[in-house]
């Protein structure tokens, strides 16, 4: 059938419809037949909803990416160690027992320049604050051990990871100088040697961190027994409870003279009280469940934080932070390392024995310091660091050279209450070949222990075996030269004793995070 021709001369007329289509319409203007299918349109509401959801998704992704990049970019890193050997693998971030060394740097560069000139801190700076945070594997308790900056310790040989320069070992040096030459890793190695633990991570914050963190949480409540003013730090507080933030918060944790007798121990207790109050505020305010507040705190912290490479990712930091959110504040124990005035310098401190070695032994055994008689965590043995036993490992035994018993310094401190006991032990030591012996005056003690200094672990093990003292009661002690037998009232002679738990001073815990403690003001700085 021939198609009709277009009636327009220029060929622009309407298209010619087929006869089949025409049969189903009543006129040329009606359009296609209904049963051939109408063009479907997307409802306006569905289009709008799709656009809104897409925008929200893009916004959420962009917001998350922004904060991830920002927080990750805030972080600075340094090496965990300074060339000293490690024996443990990294713990599980979520469930492994974890020790983190927390340092406050006194560096005066950049944002911290207002607190002094470059001459006030050299090299990597000094650690203005040093605390060891020990998180249990079951995430139910935390021990926080403070080390006074004036504590004299032995610093091992350290290597600067940036320059590869090696620095020789030092004896009788203030612990806050451990990182000044070879970096933070040297401070980590020093605390490892001091405690017999193997620290997993570190976090170092500068002065500005305290200011920004206290601002981010809206201030921290602190308490003092009397109104005080410290012109050196600028701290001025009324009697009773005050809320400090910014510069006042920094002054509170920095002041060296405002509390106690104006020494370092009063400062430590004030820092512990500040952290306890901060912990309570974060938990009571529901900060862990408030994303906006958590981001603000994370931003304030990471901008002023240096951490080791193993901790240097936002997901890892969030995992570690998540471990702390459900811990009972009564199970966060703050402890000061037992010290006494140093024999070599009365203005410095040395470890007080046997209390310091007892504390470190309890930490190695993963003891709950708020309840020393509780059963240690099941996984403690696998993650608690160096063993409490003085018995060397196979590799150490193979590397150790034989020694001459007659040249090894061994002293006896008689705390048994029996004046004849020291002579019995000295006679047994001499008969066993240890002839370079001496005797010390000692306080009464319930539990016998053998303490040893650096490089005397094998000698101490032999002395303990000779006297019938269990290996679990042989402990490293940084303040001991050679080997010291501290005999207690439990000593019954050469027979092997029961494997008694490590004794701890009753007042070893200064406070828990659940305690609101008022600091005793230094009488010299009280104002009226």
């Amino acid at each position: 059938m021939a198609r009709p021709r277009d009636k327009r001369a220029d060929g622009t007329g309407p298209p010619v419809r087929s006869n089949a289509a025409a049969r189903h319409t009543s006129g040329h203007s009606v359009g296609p037949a209904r049963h051939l299918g109408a063009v479907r349109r997307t409802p306006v509401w569905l289009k709008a909803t799709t656009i809104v959801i897409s925008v929200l998704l893009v916004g959420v992704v962009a917001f998350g990416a922004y904060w991830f990049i920002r927080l990750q970019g805030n972080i600075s890193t340094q090496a965990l160690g300074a060339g000293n050997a490690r024996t443990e693998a990294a713990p599980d971030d979520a469930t492994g027992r974890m020790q983190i060394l927390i340092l406050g740097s006194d560096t005066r560069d950049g944002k911290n320049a207002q607190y002094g000139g470059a001459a006030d801190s050299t090299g990597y700076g000094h650690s203005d604050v040093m605390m060891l945070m020990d998180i249990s594997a079951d995430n139910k308790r935390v021990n926080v051990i403070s080390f006074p900056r004036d504590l004299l310790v032995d610093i091992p040989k350290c290597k600067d990871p940036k320059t590869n320069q090696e620095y020789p070992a030092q004896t009788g040096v203030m612990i806050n100088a451990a990182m000044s030459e070879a970096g933070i890793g040297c401070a980590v190695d020093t605390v490892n040697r001091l405690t017999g633990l193997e620290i997993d991570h570190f976090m170092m914050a500068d002065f500005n961190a305290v200011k920004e963190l206290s601002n981010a949480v809206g201030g921290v409540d602190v308490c003092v027994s009397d109104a005080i003013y410290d012109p050196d730090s600028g701290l001025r507080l009324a009697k009773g409870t005050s809320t400090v933030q910014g510069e006042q918060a920094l002054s509170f944790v920095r002041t060296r003279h405002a509390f106690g007798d104006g020494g370092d121990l009063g400062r430590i207790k004030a820092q512990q009280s500040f952290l306890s109050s901060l912990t309570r505020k974060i938990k009571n305010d529901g900060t862990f469940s408030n994303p906006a507040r958590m981001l603000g705190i994370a931003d304030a912290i990471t901008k002023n934080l240096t951490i080791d490479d193993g901790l240097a990712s936002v997901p890892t930091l969030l995992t570690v932070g998540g471990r702390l959110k459900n811990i009972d504040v009564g199970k966060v124990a703050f402890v000061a390392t037992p010290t006494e005035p140093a024999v070599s310098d009365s203005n410095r401190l040395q470890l007080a024995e046997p209390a310091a070695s007892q504390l470190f032994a309890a930490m190695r055994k993963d003891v709950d310091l708020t309840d020393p008689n509780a059963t240690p965590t099941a996984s403690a043995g696998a993650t608690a660091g160096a063993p409490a036993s003085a018995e060397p490992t196979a590799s150490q035994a193979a590397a150790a050279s034989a020694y001459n018993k007659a040249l090894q310094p061994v002293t006896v401190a008689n705390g048994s209450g029996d004046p004849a006991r020291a002579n019995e032990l000295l006679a047994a030591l001499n008969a066993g070949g240890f002839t370079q012996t001496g005797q010390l005056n000692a306080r009464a003690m319930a539990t016998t222990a053998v303490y040893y200094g650096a490089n005397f672990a094998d000698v101490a093990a032999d002395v303990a075996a000779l006297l019938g003292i269990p290996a679990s009661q042989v402990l490293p002690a940084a303040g001991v030269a050679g080997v010291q037998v501290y005999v207690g009232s439990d000593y019954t002679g050469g027979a092997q004793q029961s494997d008694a738990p490590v004794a701890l001073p009753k007042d070893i815990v200064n406070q828990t995070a659940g305690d609101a403690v008022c600091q005793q003001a230094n009488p010299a700085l009280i104002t009226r």
Side-chain angles (χ1 to χ4, degrees):
M1 179 182 296
R3 296 179 58 189
R5 299 178 63 88
D6 193 328
K7 295 181 181 179
R8 293 194 181 185
D10 60 0
T12 61
V16 177
R17 295 184 302 151
S18 69
N19 290 337
R23 284 198 300 268
H24 293 281
T25 61
S26 57
H28 295 290
S29 62
V30 174
R34 284 172 296 177
H35 71 266
L36 295 182
V39 177
R40 295 186 177 181
R41 297 176 179 270
T42 302
V44 174
W45 66 268
L46 183 57
K47 287 184 177 180
T49 303
T50 302
I51 293 172
V52 170
I53 291 174
S54 300
V55 170
L56 287 175
L57 287 174
V58 171
V60 168
V61 171
F63 179 80
Y66 165 78
W67 275 104
F68 181 88
I69 294 171
R70 174 167 174 163
L71 296 178
Q72 192 69 52
N74 286 344
I75 297 172
S76 299
T77 64
Q78 281 194 31
L80 178 61
N84 294 283
R86 297 184 62 83
T87 62
E88 297 178 9
D92 185 288
D93 294 328
T95 59
R97 184 185 175 195
M98 182 180 290
Q99 287 106 22
I100 303 174
L101 187 64
I102 300 173
L103 302 160
S105 170
D106 69 351
T107 302
R108 266 78 169 188
D109 58 359
K111 293 176 290 186
N112 302 295
Q114 61 181 301
Y115 303 108
D120 294 322
S121 62
T122 58
Y124 288 97
H126 294 73
S127 52
D128 211 39
V129 176
M130 181 179 284
M131 297 179 174
L132 179 57
M133 181 170 68
D134 186 5
I135 307 172
S136 66
D138 58 9
N139 296 335
K140 290 184 178 179
R141 53 190 169 81
V142 176
N143 295 325
V144 182
I145 316 299
S146 294
F147 299 89
R149 54 178 287 161
D150 292 339
L151 177 63
L152 299 180
V153 299
D154 294 339
I155 298 177
K157 179 177 68 175
C158 291
K159 183 177 182 179
D160 186 339
K162 292 184 177 179
T163 64
N164 288 326
Q165 181 176 350
E166 289 191 355
Y167 295 88
Q170 303 176 70
T171 301
V173 181
M174 284 174 57
I175 196 170
N176 75 327
M179 73 178 203
S180 61
E181 293 180 332
I184 304 172
C186 194
V188 171
D189 290 346
T190 298
V191 176
N192 285 343
R193 176 171 180 173
L194 187 69
T195 63
L197 293 165
E198 195 160 292
I199 294 169
D200 303 303
H201 298 294
F202 70 76
M203 296 180 176
M204 187 183 75
D206 59 18
F207 294 138
N208 208 55
V210 177
K211 296 193 300 183
E212 295 200 12
L213 178 58
S214 62
N215 286 331
V217 300
V220 178
D221 291 342
V222 297
C223 179
V224 293
S225 62
D226 298 272
I228 57 170
Y229 172 60
D230 176 15
D232 289 341
S233 67
L235 179 66
R236 186 188 296 274
L237 291 175
K239 178 180 179 179
T241 301
S242 303
T243 300
V244 296
Q245 62 185 95
E247 289 290 346
Q248 277 292 83
L250 178 60
S251 296
F252 186 87
V253 299
R254 284 191 67 212
T255 179
R256 297 205 62 195
H257 309 296
F259 307 117
D261 62 359
D264 209 24
L265 297 182
R267 180 173 178 260
I268 281 177
K269 289 185 177 181
Q271 291 169 349
Q272 292 175 339
S273 181
F274 180 90
L275 290 177
S276 295
S277 181
L278 175 64
T279 300
R280 292 194 302 274
K281 177 152 193 179
I282 288 176
K283 288 182 72 70
N284 293 340
D285 286 357
T287 299
F288 285 113
S289 58
N290 186 324
R293 187 170 296 173
M294 278 296 294
L295 285 173
I297 292 175
D299 192 38
I301 293 175
T302 54
K303 282 192 298 186
N304 304 281
L305 195 67
T306 300
I307 56 183
D308 63 278
D309 295 327
L311 202 58
S313 74
V314 173
T316 301
L317 290 173
L318 291 175
T319 298
V320 174
R323 297 182 64 171
L324 304 176
K325 67 179 181 180
N326 294 322
I327 294 177
D328 182 351
V329 291
K331 286 298 183 180
V332 180
F334 289 92
V335 176
T337 303
T339 57
E340 60 189 7
V343 173
S344 59
D345 184 349
S346 60
N347 293 318
R348 300 290 181 256
L349 298 170
Q350 65 184 28
L351 293 178
E353 297 295 357
S357 291
Q358 291 169 346
L359 169 63
F360 300 149
M363 292 175 64
R364 290 192 297 271
K365 290 187 174 183
D366 198 18
V367 170
D368 180 354
L369 298 183
T370 64
D371 184 10
N373 296 319
T375 303
T377 305
S379 61
T383 58
S389 171
E391 297 177 2
T393 64
S395 60
Q396 290 172 329
S401 59
Y403 64 86
N404 186 344
K405 290 184 179 181
L407 300 179
Q408 310 310 310
V410 182
T411 55
V412 175
N414 187 11
S416 68
D418 181 356
R421 182 65 74 190
N423 291 331
E424 295 174 8
L425 290 174
L426 289 171
L429 287 167
N430 290 334
F434 294 97
T435 56
Q436 189 177 326
T437 56
Q439 186 175 349
L440 300 172
N441 294 325
R443 299 188 302 253
M445 196 68 193
T447 305
T448 298
V450 178
Y451 300 104
Y452 63 89
N455 303 317
F456 281 90
D458 50 351
V459 180
D462 290 344
V463 167
L466 176 66
L467 300 178
I469 299 172
S472 63
Q473 292 167 237
V474 182
L475 308 169
V480 171
V483 176
Q484 180 185 114
V485 181
Y486 205 121
V487 58
S489 59
D490 63 336
Y491 187 73
T492 58
Q496 286 286 340
Q497 304 173 65
S498 61
D499 197 5
V502 176
L504 279 170
K506 293 181 179 179
D507 59 349
I508 192 68
V509 176
N510 288 343
Q511 70 173 94
T512 70
D515 301 325
V517 178
C518 224
Q519 302 306 305
Q520 185 63 44
N522 180 1
L525 297 180
I526 292 177
T527 60
R528 303 297 179 188

